[in-house]
């Protein structure tokens, strides 16, 4: 059977967005779509440009970790943005993307949860990771690259053994083959709506509501993992600016920003 591919020609007639995903760089294989996106962005690629690859040979997670991206099995892609916002506000975009992916997965009848700041999970296992990277001056953003990795049609034996206990796919969870093209279009269309609303009114209420109502960690005991420490805390709220409010055992509170810590549910 010929594998279904995600070249622009394959999905352009199904896509109803105006600019999100209207300029597409498609690869059969690449090291990392985020690395490519950063190169293209620094050469002037416009907002909404999408880089998609059928596989990544050096897919990246945060802090130098790697992201497994087998051929034709997932959505491995990056979106270039040029928001006219302060660099500190770029973390909000990660929450908007998480809400959008959750919504699009939900439309498939799959009930995922959002694990702040950058994971979509199901049954305590990771379905999707988001990697937000930015190039900025003190007060202005040159570009933001949103990397999205979604495990779509991986079978259990296609997930490396060392991450099998923490990773899953839409196919494994739903027991159905998932149409990657439809999922891709849904994400690009929903993202354009949420992102435009955010830029126009600085409003991310809808996204925050989705992140709060479908959180895998709010109200739960979590571990806040920093460079030199690992502390137990309770996840209290996601604030209007996308930070996580936690309360430690001694009653002290802290607002976490996605870059400075990892938060892992005790199950993770
Ligand atoms: C992330 O990092 O979750 C962000 C992943 C972003 C991947 C996309 S794919 C397109 C774009 N191009 C790139 O090069 N990257 C982006 P983090 O929270 O640090 O999680 C990384 C950890 O997840 C690894 O250390 C593994 O334990 C685990 N992992 C690796 N591959 C996985 C997979 N396919 N599914 C689930 N977990 C995985």
């Amino acid at each position: 059977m010929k594998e279904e591919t995600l070249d622009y020609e394959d999905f352009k007639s199904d896509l109803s967005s105006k600019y999100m995903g209207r300029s597409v760089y498609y690869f059969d294989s690449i090291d990392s779509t985020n690395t490519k996106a950063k190169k293209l962005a620094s050469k002037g690629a416009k907002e909404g440009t999408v880089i998609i690859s059928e596989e990544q040979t050096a897919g990246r997670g945060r802090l130098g970790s790697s992201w497994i991206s087998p051929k034709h099995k997932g959505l491995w892609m990056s979106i270039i943005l040029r928001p006219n916002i302060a660099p500190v506000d770029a973390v909000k975009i990660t929450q908007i993307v998480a809400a959008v992916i959750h919504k699009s997965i939900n439309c498939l009848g799959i009930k995922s949860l959002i694990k702040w700041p950058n994971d979509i999970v199901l049954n305590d296992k990771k379905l999707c990771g988001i990697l937000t990277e930015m190039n900025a001056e003190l007060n202005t953003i040159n570009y933001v690259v949103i990397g999205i990795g979604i495990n779509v049609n991986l079978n259990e034996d296609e997930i490396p053994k060392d991450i099998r206990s923490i990773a899953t796919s839409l196919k494994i969870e739903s027991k159905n083959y998932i149409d990657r093209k439809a999922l891709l279009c849904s994400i690009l269309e929903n993202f354009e709506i949420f992102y435009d609303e955010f830029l126009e009114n600085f409003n991310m209420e809808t996204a925050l509501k989705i992140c709060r109502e479908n959180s895998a960690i709010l109200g739960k005991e979590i571990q806040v993992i920093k460079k030199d420490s690992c502390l137990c805390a309770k996840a209290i709220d996601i604030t209007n600016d996308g930070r996580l409010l936690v309360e430690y055992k001694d009653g002290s509170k802290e607002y976490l920003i996605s870059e400075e810590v990892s938060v892992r549910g005790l199950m993770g």
Side-chain angles (χ1 to χ4, degrees), residues 30-34 53-60 67 69-70 76:
I30 200 170
D31 50 0
S32 153
T33 57
N34 260 40
S53 186
E54 295 296 350
E55 78 172 344
Q56 298 184 112
T57 53
R60 298 188 281 109
W67 185 259
S69 323
W76 325 123

Side-chain angles (χ1 to χ4, degrees), residues 32-33 56 60-62 65-68 118 126 129 148 151 167:
S32 153
T33 57
Q56 298 184 112
R60 298 188 281 109
R62 294 177 302 167
S65 62
S66 61
W67 185 259
I68 305 301
N118 70 321
K126 188 154 160 166
I148 298 172
N151 299 328

Side-chain angles (χ1 to χ4, degrees), residues 98-99 101-106 109-115 119-123 125 127 170 210 213-216:
I101 295 171
H102 174 272
K103 187 176 155 104
S104 295
I105 289 178
N106 216 37
I110 301 170
K111 301 265 172 253
S112 63
L113 292 174
I114 302 171
K115 188 161 140 214
D119 293 348
I120 308 290
V121 298
L122 187 53
N123 294 328
K125 292 180 176 184
L127 272 175
L170 295 173
I210 294 174
E213 287 178 356
N214 300 283
S215 171

Side-chain angles (χ1 to χ4, degrees), residues 188-244:
L188 293 172
E189 289 159 10
N190 281 323
F191 183 50
E192 184 174 278
I193 294 168
F194 280 50
Y195 181 66
D196 280 352
E197 187 179 285
F198 173 60
L199 291 187
E200 274 159 32
N201 316 315
F202 219 59
N203 176 351
M204 53 183 288
E205 271 309 306
T206 321
L208 282 172
K209 190 165 185 284
I210 294 174
C211 290
R212 290 185 182 123
E213 287 178 356
N214 300 283
S215 171
I217 61 170
L218 284 189
K220 294 196 177 145
E221 295 295 323
I222 59 164
Q223 285 172 304
V224 178
I225 305 154
K226 298 196 187 186
K227 237 190 201 155
D228 308 311
S229 66
C230 178
L231 288 176
C232 281
K234 189 171 180 188
I236 305 285
D237 193 14
I238 297 167
T239 62
N240 287 343
D241 55 5
R243 290 183 295 171
L244 182 70

